[in-house]
Amino acid sequence: QKPAPLFPRGPMSQADKLTNTGPNISVGDYLVSSNVPGHAELQLATPDFRTRGTVAQVSQDIVWAPGETSRQVACRYLLG
C-alpha cells in the first residue's frame, strides 16, 4: 500500500509536523514544504498571503522552546 501524501489536496483540518526555522508562529501563518522529510515550515518570504508554494495554514499559536526542533501542530491544508 502506498503511503498517504504529506499534504493531501483539499481544505481540511489536520495535524502535521512542523520544523523550527526560528520565529514563533501565529494562527493564520502559512506553511511551505520543508527540507526536513515529512515536515512543513513557516513561510518566511511572503508571510501575509498565499503563494504558489503554500501548502497549509496554522490553526494554533506556536512558541518554540529553546532547543525544540519540531512539533506536531494543527493546520488547515489548502487547495493546490
Side-chain angles (χ1 to χ4, degrees), residues 60-76:
Q60 68 184 83
D61 291 330
I62 304 295
V63 177
W64 295 106
E68 185 177 14
T69 59
S70 67
R71 185 186 297 188
Q72 192 85 9
V73 298
C75 61
R76 183 173 62 92

Side-chain angles (χ1 to χ4, degrees), residues 11-71:
M12 61 179 123
S13 295
Q14 293 286 327
D16 199 14
K17 288 185 180 179
L18 187 63
T19 190
N20 183 354
T21 55
N24 290 325
I25 297 171
S26 299
V27 170
D29 283 349
Y30 291 110
L31 304 177
V32 295
S33 294
S34 173
N35 293 356
V36 179
H39 288 66
E41 65 184 46
L42 180 63
Q43 177 178 297
L44 295 172
T46 52
D48 297 331
F49 60 92
R50 283 178 66 179
T51 66
R52 188 175 180 109
T54 304
V55 293
Q57 193 170 26
V58 178
S59 300
Q60 68 184 83
D61 291 330
I62 304 295
V63 177
W64 295 106
E68 185 177 14
T69 59
S70 67
R71 185 186 297 188

